[in-house]
Amino acid sequence: MAFISAADADKNSYDVIVVGSGAAGGQTAYTLTMDGAKVLMLEAGRNYQPATETPMLQANGEAPLRGAGTPEKPFGFWDATVDGGWQVPGEPYSSASDDPARQFVWWRARMLGGRTNHWGRISLRNGQYDFKPHSRDGLGFDWPMDYADLAPYYDKVEMLIGVYGANDGLENTPNSSPGVLLPPPKPRVSDLLTRQRAAKLNIPVIPGHRAVLTQRLDHVRLPKLLHPGNAKAQKILAADMQKRAACFFATPCGRGCSIRANYQSTTVHLPPALDTGNLDIVTDAMVRAVTKRPDGRAEGVIFIDRKTGAEHRVKARVVVLAASALESVRIMLNSGVANSSGKVGKYIMDTVGAGIGGQIPLLEDMPLHNEDGVDGFHLYTPWWLYKEQLAGKLGFARGYHIEFGGGRSMPSMGTAAGMEWLNGGTYGRKFKEEARRYFGSFMYFSGRGEMIPNDDCYAELHPTQKDKFGIPTLNFHWKWSKHEIGQAAHMQTTFAEIIDAMGGRMPSPPQPGEKAIKQGGIIIHEVGGAMMGNDPAKSVTNSFGQSWDMKNLFITDGATLCSNADKNPTLTIMALAWRASEHMLGLMKKKEL
């Protein structure tokens, strides 16, 4: 079993159809196939092979426009996203309001591995508070599970994909089990200065957690822990782990990774799943709808071959939607399934984002020194004001973490641009001198905050608009609440205080929350729309992502999340997918699916 044609898929029979190949689809297919289930994966985009397509060692100067972003490649010429983006030709979406503050933008990947080829690899666990937010402050919804239910699966995912970090034991910032995390990279000079000065403000700075191999995985110990009693799975995984190299600090992770040092579904989940012989993959397969059996259960799906336009129907005992939260919502709405509660499409969420940059004179004219390290942050700040917030001292609910960066990364089109606010503008020899002086002295602080689900944020099918495949498109309703706007304002003042404590300066003062907060969808952390719960009348699935209405329909992507904690959601999505897949396997073995 391997990559097959759409026509061949029609002829085969499967235990499970998995729609989507990103973090959720990849994890689902991995867990199922390693335990023997026969799986068909349908990916809407094209095949993508990081080993041959990743621009590992090319400098920005070798790219058109020195690698700068364009409408077709908004994250730069070398970014791994080869199809997809904010706009996908022939696949429109819309916002119900003309108010710019109520617009929602939707990033879609159309390639094998989905967004995992592009994402930031930030891998933070939800904490105990994050699973019971309503019980804590009366807002939003509690999850139908506790942290203890998911903790073993966080361990499994971290061991499989490889996550660096440290156990600092801070409030609502869970530790991993011993022996799970890889060692974090050493802090850079800008990290050390930030940690020193933030400490004076009682703001903690600790090692970050990212899915990048700082050393090779232990291929002897980890497979036995991940697949106890399954010799075949252990052998396959051990062999695959030996094909992954440790990061040698050469390439931004957003380009992908041909040596498989960072996590992408295409480099971690899919190779061993294919090696089991239990996985078939059809790319360019745009799923239109879930089909029903006479008994009301899911029969399979209808998909359209993007290359030929031909429609295909495939069947299986179980259907899993893992197409990304909003794409799965669209499939359910278009199918008219799993929505007896009326909650499909409701309570969609993104992450709250705001940021400030500054220039730090202490970092000017630094002597040459080793800035080696992984792409992305080495240190970060978890939310630290739980007690003050619980006491009602902040004026908004829920928190945010801080990502920051500085140092002398690879020069790009924007390097040395926009220095007029520092020097009034220069050119020629003076410009070159000042470019060298200021290079590496700029820092940027970004907040990533929790969004509370609200009634004003939902997706519905557009009444008339369809995409080029004839599938109804999504129409978004969006509105930040006072809590998210309050977070953004707090981010601005906090970042300004840190920059000031570093002796730095900013081109402009902090903005009010309404202006600082990023547009909905811009952080690309879409979750919600098919919330899990304990009550079938108020939720779409149970805690395993199993539809209340169709017992053999599962949702393993971010659509089921009940809240969007300040921790980036990908690690949680993978942990939930592993847990749901084990539940599926158990039900299939008992012949209940």
Side-chain angles (χ1 to χ4, degrees), residues 43 45-50 52-55 71-85 87-89 107-118 254-256 264 266 284 306:
E43 163 54 47
R46 75 161 172 87
N47 194 353
Y48 168 71
Q49 296 299 324
T52 55
E53 297 190 56
T54 302
E72 292 76 23
K73 296 280 286 186
F75 291 96
F77 181 81
W78 296 126
D79 183 73
T81 305
V82 290
D83 283 319
Q87 300 296 332
V88 179
W107 176 274
R108 289 163 291 174
R110 290 287 183 258
M111 60 193 295
L112 190 68
R115 295 172 185 165
T116 66
N117 299 303
H118 162 83
R255 296 182 178 190
Q264 299 167 247
T266 39
D284 295 296
R306 293 171 65 95

Side-chain angles (χ1 to χ4, degrees), residues 238-256:
D240 193 73
M241 282 183 167
Q242 293 178 77
K243 298 175 184 175
R244 298 185 65 193
C247 179
F248 57 85
F249 311 147
T251 304
C253 292
R255 296 182 178 190

Side-chain angles (χ1 to χ4, degrees), residues 369-585:
H369 60 278
N370 190 348
E371 288 264 274
D372 275 354
V374 301
D375 179 51
F377 66 50
H378 289 193
L379 305 181
Y380 87 115
T381 291
W383 179 237
W384 67 103
L385 295 173
Y386 288 104
K387 292 181 175 58
E388 291 82 353
Q389 197 161 49
L390 197 60
K393 296 180 179 179
L394 300 186
F396 61 89
R398 316 294 170 82
Y400 60 89
H401 74 259
I402 305 173
E403 303 170 7
F404 55 86
R408 300 183 174 196
S409 57
M410 184 189 301
S412 63
M413 192 69 170
T415 299
M419 296 193 300
E420 295 85 356
W421 68 279
L422 291 168
N423 57 20
T426 59
Y427 62 91
R429 183 173 183 176
K430 179 66 173 174
F431 173 80
K432 291 181 179 178
E433 291 174 354
E434 301 238 305
R436 294 188 181 96
R437 170 189 172 186
Y438 290 120
F439 182 50
S441 71
F442 295 94
M443 293 203 65
Y444 197 83
F445 294 84
S446 297
R448 295 289 180 263
E450 176 167 352
M451 178 182 177
I452 303 168
N454 69 64
D455 291 334
D456 293 316
C457 294
Y458 62 95
E460 60 186 359
L461 292 180
H462 193 282
T464 58
Q465 189 180 64
K466 295 182 179 180
D467 66 15
K468 63 182 179 183
F469 306 108
I471 304 172
T473 64
L474 286 183
N475 188 42
F476 295 108
H477 298 254
W478 188 263
K479 186 179 181 181
W480 294 114
S481 78
K482 64 177 183 180
H483 299 290
E484 290 86 36
I485 293 171
Q487 280 181 33
H490 194 270
M491 291 175 191
Q492 292 280 293
T493 55
T494 300
F495 302 160
E497 289 171 0
I498 295 174
I499 292 171
D500 184 63
M502 297 172 75
R505 44 191 171 169
M506 301 182 299
S508 57
Q511 295 180 308
E514 293 86 348
K515 290 187 175 180
I517 194 167
K518 300 288 187 184
Q519 186 177 11
I522 205 77
I523 306 299
I524 320 181
H525 287 173
E526 65 172 68
V527 298
M531 194 170 61
M532 63 170 68
N534 288 320
D535 185 349
K538 298 179 180 178
S539 57
V540 179
T541 77
N542 62 19
S543 70
F544 297 100
Q546 184 180 19
S547 164
W548 292 116
D549 298 347
M550 302 179 94
K551 299 302 182 187
N552 62 338
L553 175 66
F554 287 76
I555 303 156
T556 61
D557 57 30
T560 63
L561 270 60
C562 300
S563 63
N564 194 13
D566 70 283
K567 289 84 171 178
N568 305 39
T570 306
L571 186 73
T572 296
I573 290 171
M574 287 191 272
L576 288 169
W578 198 316
R579 181 174 181 267
S581 299
E582 285 191 353
H583 184 66
M584 271 177 248
L585 288 163

Side-chain angles (χ1 to χ4, degrees), residues 94-104 475-479:
S94 56
S95 287
S97 173
D98 294 329
D99 182 348
R102 302 192 66 174
Q103 302 286 302
F104 182 85
N475 188 42
F476 295 108
H477 298 254
W478 188 263
K479 186 179 181 181

